Amino acid sequence: MRFAFYGRVSTEDQQDPASSKQWQLARSTALIEPAGVVVAEYFDIGQSRSLPWKRRPESARLLADLRNPDRGFDAVVIGEPARAFYGQQFGLTFPVFIHYGVELWVPEVGGKVDPGSDAHDMVMSLYGGMSKGERNRIKVRVRSAMASQAATEGRFLGGRPPYGYLLGDAGPHPNPAKAAAGQRQHRLEIDPSAAPVVQRIFDDYLAGRGFRAIAEALTADGIPSPSAHDPARNRHRTAANGAWGKSAVRAIIENPRYSGRQVWNRQRHDEVLLDVDDVAAGHETKLRWNDPADWVWSNDLAHEAIIDADTFARAQQQTRRRRAPAEHRETPPGQAGLPAVRAGALRSLWPTHAGLPQPRAQQLPMHLRRRVRADQRHRPPPGAVPPRGPNHLRRSIGWIATVFDDEHTESTWQAIAEAQQPDEAAAARREAAERKVADCRDRLAKYRAALDAGADPLVVTGWMREVQGEQLAAERELGRATDTSNELTLDQVRALVAGVRDAVSMLSTADPKLKAQVYAELGIEVTYQPNEGRALVSARVGQCVSEGGLEPPRPCGH
């Protein structure tokens, strides 16, 4: 008889394709002797067993040749059915062999598969189920090992390094077989030319600039984009002009590895039906983002950090605020009632006779239209006199002037300086955060000891993920509680107040348009409370500068 041989090897098998083909072919030849010889070969390389036969190149070619009367063979022999059939694939493929009168031989039944034998059908279905189970067990073992390596060892698990880092040599591979083959382990090292750009991106983002504005500024300054910076590792991208995109800026802002920790399991591979109306067509792999709660963080710093953990946490918090719908955004304390309206929006609410033009609602941005409608819903009852926006601001300016006059400057200095001192509540938060961090470290040490003692890796790594999340939150709280970088000395407060006094004296006579711009930069917010007949004016200062204005802006208090 004339036989066609079919076999398969994939990257997940960790075998040399040539060696794998030889032993599968040898097993097939031993089965068919002395009944016949192999006259044709079909061997898939790098194809997953989960793919249906029609989607593997060589098996699809074999199915096409079955239809050809001049195919040149009478039967097909498979040396390892578990590599050829996965799940229910045998039941979907064998009827094609029967239809074209081609026999199928496998070692597990001792020769030809009998179409009328329930035992043969059961054996082949069993091997298909075993093939699926083996693949699932491989996935579980690999994922458990990688989670443990990332958490306990902080090992770099492959892939392209993030922008701002380079791949450095970390010694021989920990796997003896791979080390013997010359493979090396890698770690992330600072890229001196790109790391400052990452720091700049975080600083600009926390200063209030958006992804697009940051990208345009980087492009304008002639800084190459990540794909242009390292074209050898980004051949799939075209960046001839080196322009930045907002997606690249977003990816940097949302990458936790810049904080110095190794993070694994940020994405997963989902198998989705290729055609819901044709299940036999199999699945396709989709790369999707995991919930941050499922990320695996290294217990300790795994490489040199470009930005600290608190900076990364504040950037993520700012991203969440920007993505949240307007009605779900946090309202500053003491600002209950009408949604806060910034000074730039007051033009649409002030009366036209106040000296400022009142634009039509259609000319306002959408977020200001919502505020105008909210103001109209909260108008005072008939007969009540609504407050005049400019009058309230003039009264506020007058009050500010009294705070900074000669009679009250000393008390103002002391009040500002004392307001920076940590209170008892802050000290209690710091102590609670320190206790939480110590507790998390103790629990992680116990879990690592349990792993060494042979505990179930899946269960223990699940516990460790929860504790790592608690530890990260506690470290962020501890960083906020101990941060004193923004505190001013009494002399600095005196200099600051002296500079403000001149500005206050100029506000009352300033041009209304310039005055509105000053209010916007100071973060002035006005909340009208119709039931009490008053308006609350507050300022939320977002940036401070050095005395000469040459240093980068830094955040300061309210």
Side-chain angles (χ1 to χ4, degrees):
M1 294 181 60
R2 298 171 301 172
F3 283 86
F5 159 74
Y6 176 74
R8 183 199 63 83
V9 65
S10 70
T11 54
E12 65 189 23
D13 297 319
Q14 298 293 324
Q15 292 190 17
D16 174 55
S19 300
S20 180
K21 178 181 178 180
Q22 289 302 321
W23 73 258
Q24 292 183 55
L25 181 58
R27 193 166 189 236
S28 301
T29 303
L31 174 66
I32 64 176
E33 290 179 346
V37 295
V38 173
V39 297
E41 296 179 0
Y42 302 83
F43 191 75
D44 278 310
I45 299 176
Q47 301 296 319
S48 173
R49 70 186 76 187
S50 64
L51 288 176
W53 275 47
K54 292 182 178 180
R55 294 173 58 193
R56 303 179 204 164
E58 290 297 294
S59 59
R61 186 167 68 91
L62 174 58
L63 291 176
D65 289 346
L66 291 180
R67 296 175 169 83
N68 184 4
D70 300 326
R71 54 183 169 265
F73 56 85
D74 310 305
V76 174
V77 59
I78 296 177
E80 180 59 44
R83 292 176 178 267
F85 300 112
Y86 172 89
Q88 303 298 321
Q89 290 178 1
F90 173 77
L92 298 171
T93 306
F94 188 52
V96 180
F97 285 74
I98 299 174
H99 178 76
Y100 291 108
V102 177
E103 296 179 359
L104 177 63
W105 288 48
V106 295
E108 281 65 26
V109 300
K112 181 182 69 173
V113 178
D114 185 357
S117 173
D118 293 338
H120 285 191
D121 184 73
M122 184 179 299
V123 168
M124 297 304 297
S125 298
L126 175 63
Y127 274 94
M130 291 173 58
S131 176
K132 184 176 181 179
E134 180 184 359
R135 180 172 181 263
N136 290 335
R137 285 192 298 273
I138 292 174
K139 290 172 60 177
V140 171
R141 288 198 300 266
V142 170
R143 290 183 60 82
S144 299
M146 295 181 72
S148 177
Q149 292 167 358
T152 60
E153 303 175 23
R155 187 187 301 181
F156 177 74
L157 299 176
R160 291 178 300 174
Y163 176 78
Y165 286 105
L166 300 172
L167 284 183
D169 184 76
H173 198 282
N175 186 317
K178 295 183 178 180
Q183 296 188 31
R184 310 285 293 181
Q185 191 176 359
H186 296 93
R187 63 168 175 262
L188 294 179
E189 296 180 350
I190 293 290
D191 183 346
S193 62
V197 180
V198 174
Q199 295 173 338
R200 167 181 169 173
I201 289 174
F202 275 90
D203 291 341
D204 287 352
Y205 187 67
L206 292 176
R209 304 189 73 177
F211 296 140
R212 188 183 300 277
I214 295 175
E216 292 175 350
L218 293 172
T219 302
D221 291 344
I223 298 175
S225 65
S227 56
H229 175 72
D230 190 5
R233 298 186 63 89
N234 295 273
R235 297 177 181 176
H236 61 297
R237 299 184 182 275
T238 57
N241 56 359
W244 282 76
K246 66 176 185 179
S247 59
V249 176
R250 181 189 294 110
I252 291 174
I253 292 294
E254 296 179 351
N255 194 335
R257 288 198 284 182
Y258 291 116
S259 62
R261 293 184 183 269
Q262 184 60 262
V263 183
W264 179 78
N265 199 39
R266 296 178 65 203
Q267 291 180 300
R268 68 182 187 276
H269 292 85
D270 282 351
E271 293 186 346
V272 183
L273 283 174
L274 187 65
D275 185 355
V276 294
D277 296 323
D278 183 11
V279 179
H283 299 78
E284 61 178 341
T285 301
K286 295 286 189 180
L287 192 62
R288 292 174 175 170
W289 289 97
N290 284 326
D291 188 276
D294 296 329
W295 296 358
V296 178
W297 294 69
S298 61
N299 300 330
D300 303 312
L301 295 180
H303 48 265
E304 186 177 353
I306 295 181
I307 50 101
D308 55 57
D310 182 66
T311 299
F312 177 76
R314 288 190 291 119
Q316 307 319 301
Q317 185 178 10
Q318 181 161 315
T319 299
R320 289 192 294 270
R321 285 199 303 266
R322 290 185 175 185
R323 291 178 176 175
E327 60 271 16
H328 294 156
R329 290 176 184 161
E330 296 181 1
T331 302
Q335 299 294 313
L338 183 67
V341 181
R342 291 192 178 275
L346 290 178
R347 299 184 183 183
S348 63
L349 304 179
W350 289 350
T352 54
H353 64 267
L356 293 176
Q358 182 180 15
R360 294 179 298 174
Q362 291 81 359
Q363 297 175 345
L364 296 175
M366 181 57 68
H367 69 284
L368 294 184
R369 297 186 201 177
R370 289 196 294 266
R371 295 185 184 278
V372 172
R373 289 195 292 266
D375 173 68
Q376 293 173 348
R377 290 195 298 269
H378 293 82
R379 287 189 181 279
V385 179
R388 301 297 186 185
N391 292 335
H392 281 283
L393 290 177
R394 290 194 193 98
R395 266 185 272 170
S396 301
I397 295 171
W399 173 79
I400 294 175
T402 60
V403 171
F404 295 110
D405 60 17
D406 294 335
E407 182 180 354
H408 299 90
T409 50
E410 188 67 31
S411 60
T412 301
W413 295 339
Q414 295 293 339
I416 294 176
E418 292 174 358
Q420 301 179 104
Q421 302 302 320
D423 54 13
E424 295 181 359
R429 289 195 302 271
R430 183 178 63 254
E431 294 177 0
E434 291 174 346
R435 290 195 300 269
K436 185 65 175 179
V437 170
D439 176 67
C440 290
R441 290 174 178 171
D442 292 341
R443 290 159 65 189
L444 288 173
K446 294 177 181 178
Y447 294 156
R448 285 193 290 269
L451 278 176
D452 295 337
D456 188 346
L458 287 178
V459 176
V460 177
T461 52
W463 296 343
M464 294 179 72
R465 282 198 300 269
E466 296 178 3
V467 178
Q468 289 162 3
E470 296 176 10
Q471 181 181 358
L472 180 62
E475 290 175 348
R476 293 171 181 169
E477 178 62 27
L478 181 60
R480 288 191 292 267
T482 57
D483 183 16
T484 60
S485 60
N486 294 328
E487 293 183 4
L488 301 175
T489 65
L490 186 59
D491 291 338
Q492 290 174 329
V493 172
R494 286 193 179 98
L496 177 65
V497 172
V500 171
R501 293 178 62 182
D502 295 336
V504 171
S505 62
M506 298 172 62
L507 280 176
S508 59
T509 59
D511 179 84
K513 294 182 180 180
L514 297 177
K515 190 185 303 182
Q517 183 179 355
V518 172
Y519 295 153
E521 293 177 354
L522 291 176
I524 290 182
E525 295 179 349
V526 179
T527 303
Y528 173 51
Q529 298 177 338
N531 294 334
E532 302 181 15
R534 65 176 183 175
L536 300 180
V537 182
S538 63
R540 180 180 298 269
V541 182
Q543 302 291 333
C544 292
V545 296
S546 62
E547 182 177 354
L550 299 178
E551 298 177 1
R554 55 184 177 89
C556 59
H558 294 203

